[in-house]
């Protein structure tokens, strides 16, 4: 086992131990997409029955009920279409046995505990006109999904070097009282200057100004990022999963459910 693999396993184990603690009450961040789409992001919601999702060019997050039944899965299939691949980030329950898991990695959720949030004099607000440059930076740095309309979800800030976007970070999910920091990325040529840290603090400053608390998600294997976020004042809250599944190509009768691998 490599050091990187061992460290990732340690992070997953820490998250698993947190998840194993007795749950006093459900937390709004246990299902952040549902809380967002029934709250501050309700204007984005595409709904069928109890299932909600963001428009496919905004973000891939889908909101299922905490305990979806066969009708909910049928509604999701109708929303997505036969044979479509559906992102199910954050869902850790059961899938119908005729849905094929196409992608799955372990993730973690971290929450702000003692972050030193502060505005940044170099940070500029990014908008629709900046999207081509933002998409180019995301393609080169791969921080996670960022689509043509993701910028509409909240405030995105960037820092430029010689007129070129060198780093950015912004807001994605928005449960009541919370805002997710997302798309934190820095051009390889500008790394080592602390730009990502500055932008996380600047985005968090705007979130705090609204009386809300920042949180974020990352892959459990992204141990460098987790160490950085924890050093900034984020606390590991729970483990989660980033996965996708394929809708059955033909409608089927109600079936049992199979646990995820």
């Amino acid at each position: 086992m490599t050091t990187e693999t061992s460290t990732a396993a340690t992070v997953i184990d820490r998250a698993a131990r947190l998840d194993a603690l007795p749950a006093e009450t459900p937390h709004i961040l246990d299902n952040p997409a549902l809380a967002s789409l029934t709250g501050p992001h309700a204007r984005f919601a595409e709904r069928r029955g109890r299932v909600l999702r963001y428009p496919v060019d905004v973000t891939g997050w889908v909101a299922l009920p905490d305990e979806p039944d066969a009708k909910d899965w049928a509604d999701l299939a109708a929303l997505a279409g036969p044979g479509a691949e559906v992102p199910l980030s954050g869902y850790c329950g059961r899938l119908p046995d005729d849905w094929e898991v196409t992608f799955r990695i372990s993730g973690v959720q971290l929450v702000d505990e003692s972050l030193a949030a502060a505005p940044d004099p170099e940070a500029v607000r990014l908008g629709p006109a900046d999207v081509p440059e933002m998409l180019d930076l995301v393609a080169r740095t791969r921080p996670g999904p960022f689509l043509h309309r993701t910028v509409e979800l909240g405030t995105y800030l960037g820092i430029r070097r010689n007129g070129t976007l060198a780093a950015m970070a912004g807001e994605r999910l928005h449960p009541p009282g919370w805002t997710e920091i997302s798309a934190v990325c820095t051009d390889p040529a500008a790394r080592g200057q602390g730009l990502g840290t500055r932008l996380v603090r600047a985005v968090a400053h705007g979130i705090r100004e609204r009386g809300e608390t920042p949180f974020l998600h990352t892959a459990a294997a992204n141990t460098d990022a987790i160490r950085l976020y924890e050093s900034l004042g984020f606390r590991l809250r729970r483990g989660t999963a980033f996965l996708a599944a394929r809708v059955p190509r033909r409608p089927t009768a109600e079936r049992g459910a199979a646990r995820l691998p």
Side-chain angles (χ1 to χ4, degrees):
M1 180 180 291
T2 66
T3 301
E4 181 178 351
T5 302
S6 176
T7 306
T10 301
V11 170
I12 294 171
D13 179 64
R14 286 172 56 201
R17 283 187 277 112
L18 287 171
D19 287 344
L21 294 175
E24 297 179 1
T25 57
H27 194 285
I28 196 168
L29 295 186
D30 293 342
N31 195 339
L34 182 61
S36 298
L37 288 169
T38 55
H41 278 173
R43 67 189 184 277
F44 291 105
E46 297 178 350
R47 177 191 289 269
R48 186 178 176 101
R50 299 195 300 166
V51 177
L52 299 92
R53 71 173 183 179
Y54 287 89
V56 294
D57 56 351
V58 173
T59 185
W61 282 83
V62 169
L64 288 166
D66 291 334
E67 296 183 5
D69 58 24
K71 176 65 165 56
D72 298 321
W73 289 106
D75 285 338
L76 178 55
L79 266 179
E85 188 176 39
V86 179
L88 293 170
S89 295
Y91 181 69
C92 300
R94 295 171 177 264
L95 288 176
D97 56 13
D98 52 352
W99 285 61
E100 174 195 0
V101 176
T102 57
F103 171 82
R104 187 178 194 273
I105 62 172
S106 296
V108 292
Q109 184 185 82
L110 299 101
V111 295
D112 170 24
E113 190 169 64
S114 58
L115 177 66
D120 190 280
E122 269 196 290
V124 296
R125 179 78 179 257
L126 302 174
D130 302 296
V131 167
E133 200 173 7
M134 298 168 79
L135 290 170
D136 178 68
L137 180 60
V138 165
R140 289 184 284 111
T141 57
R142 304 180 70 82
F146 182 90
L147 306 172
H148 286 84
R149 294 179 56 204
T150 304
V151 71
E152 298 177 21
L153 293 175
T155 299
Y156 277 80
L157 301 178
I159 293 177
R160 286 190 163 84
R161 288 286 183 265
N162 300 318
T164 300
L165 187 63
M168 74 174 195
E171 302 174 356
R172 188 169 58 178
L173 298 181
H174 194 176
W178 299 79
T179 300
E180 181 193 23
I181 297 178
S182 181
V184 181
C185 55
T186 302
D187 185 279
R191 288 177 183 164
Q193 302 175 29
L195 302 185
T197 294
R198 289 165 52 187
L199 287 172
V200 167
R201 286 177 168 154
V203 173
H205 175 76
I207 296 170
R208 292 259 194 86
E209 287 287 290
R210 299 195 299 264
E212 299 171 350
T213 303
F215 74 105
L216 51 82
H217 294 99
T218 190
N222 194 357
T223 53
D224 288 342
I226 293 170
R227 279 194 294 266
L228 172 62
Y229 293 138
E230 290 186 321
S231 73
L232 293 178
F234 284 90
R235 170 180 58 82
L236 182 66
R237 178 180 174 267
R238 65 180 302 227
T240 187
F242 303 116
L243 69 149
R246 192 170 304 284
V247 178
R249 296 191 179 278
R250 291 182 298 173
T252 58
E254 294 184 4
R255 299 183 180 182
R259 183 167 296 279
L260 289 171

